[in-house]
C-alpha cells in the first residue's frame, strides 16, 4: 500500500525476517539495511561502507546473498530475509557459525555477520555447481557436478567481504572445514545402511 505524507511517499512492505513475519511502513528510499537496523532492531547486520563494497551488511534474501545497503526494501515485498542470527542461536550455532568460533575466524567481529551469511550462500552456490571466475570450466562438464572448493575458489567467492582486521586465513579455514563436513555428511547420507541393502 502506498501513501504520501508531507511530500514523501511511504509504502507498506511485508517481509519474513529470520522466520518471523513483519510488516513495516517506510519511505520508498529506505534500504533493507536501514529497515532491518532502524525499523526492526536487527542490529547484527552491520553498516560498513554503505556503498556495497565491503560486504558487512550481507544477508540472505530468498536464499541468495545480497548487500542490504544497496537493496531497496520496497522491491522486496514478500521476501524471506535471513541474517546471521537467523542461521543459529547462541545455544545452538549452525555448523558454519561453530566453525568460525572453532577457528577463531574473527577479531573485532564487525564483519563477521556478513562473512557468515556470505559463506552460507557461497557454499550453497558451489554445491549447486555455480562456477566462479576461477572455476575450471572443464570440471563442470557434468551438469550435476559440484565445484571443488579449493582455497582459490573460496577466496574468489568471498572476495566481496572485507575484513579490516585481516582474519582471512582463519575465515578460509572455517569455510573449508564446513565444506568438508557437509561433503562428508552428504556422502554418508548417500551410502545405504544395512537395513536398506537387505530390503
Amino acid at each position: 500500500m502506498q501513501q504520501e505524507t508531507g511530500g514523501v511517499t511511504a509504502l507498506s512492505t511485508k517481509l519474513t525476517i529470520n522466520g518471523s513475519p513483519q510488516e513495516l511502513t517506510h519511505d520508498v528510499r529506505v534500504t533493507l539495511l536501514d529497515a532491518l537496523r532502524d525499523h526492526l532492531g536487527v542490529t547484527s547486520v552491520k553498516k560498513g561502507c554503505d556503498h556495497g563494497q565491503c560486504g558487512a551488511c550481507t544477508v540472505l534474501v530468498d536464499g541468495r546473498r545480497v548487500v542490504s545497503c544497496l537493496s531497496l526494501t520496497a522491491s522486496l515485498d514478500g521476501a524471506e530475509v535471513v541474517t546471521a542470527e537467523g542461521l543459529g542461536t547462541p545455544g545452538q550455532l549452525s555448523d558454519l557459525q561453530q566453525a568460525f568460533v572453532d577457528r577463531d575466524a574473527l577479531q573485532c567481529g564487525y564483519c563477521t555477520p556478513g562473512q557468515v551469511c556470505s559463506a552460507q550462500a557461497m557454499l550453497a552456490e558451489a554445491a549447486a555447481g555455480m562456477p566462479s571466475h576461477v572455476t575450471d570450466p572443464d570440471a563442470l562438464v557434468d551438469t550435476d557436478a559440484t565445484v571443488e572448493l579449493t582455497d582459490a575458489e573460496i577466496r574468489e567467492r568471498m572476495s566481496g567481504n572485507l575484513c579490516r582486521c585481516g582474519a582471512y586465513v582463519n575465515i578460509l579455514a572455517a569455510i573449508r572445514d564446513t565444506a568438508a563436513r557437509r561433503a562428508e555428511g552428504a556422502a554418508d547420507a548417500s551410502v545405504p545402511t544395512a537395513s536398506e541393502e537387505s530390503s
Side-chain angles (χ1 to χ4, degrees), residues 9-153:
T9 303
L11 291 176
S12 178
T13 301
K14 293 179 180 177
L15 298 168
T16 302
I17 310 294
N18 297 325
S20 174
Q22 302 285 341
E23 184 170 2
L24 62 150
T25 301
H26 57 90
D27 184 313
V28 294
R29 300 164 293 181
V30 168
T31 64
L32 178 58
L33 171 60
D34 290 335
L36 289 167
R37 290 185 59 83
D38 301 337
H39 294 262
L40 298 171
V42 182
T43 56
S44 68
V45 184
K46 302 304 183 196
K47 184 175 279 201
C49 66
D50 212 18
H51 288 84
Q53 297 175 352
C54 74
C57 68
T58 303
V59 298
L60 306 178
V61 176
D62 295 331
R64 298 182 66 113
R65 55 184 163 167
V66 301
V67 284
S68 58
C69 70
L70 296 183
S71 302
L72 287 175
T73 304
S75 68
L76 300 173
D77 192 42
E80 182 173 348
V81 179
V82 177
T83 68
E85 62 215 272
L87 296 175
T89 64
Q92 175 115 30
L93 298 177
S94 73
D95 59 343
L96 180 61
Q97 290 170 320
Q98 188 61 56
F100 267 68
V101 171
D102 293 344
R103 285 293 193 163
D104 197 23
L106 57 130
Q107 287 186 41
C108 79
Y110 196 82
C111 74
T112 305
Q115 296 275 2
V116 170
C117 284
S118 190
Q120 179 74 16
M122 68 81 82
L123 287 167
E125 291 162 10
M130 294 174 65
S132 78
H133 180 68
V134 299
T135 305
D136 177 6
D138 295 333
L140 294 178
V141 173
D142 180 1
T143 56
D144 293 329
T146 58
V147 175
E148 181 187 354
L149 283 176
T150 62
D151 287 357
E153 275 286 351

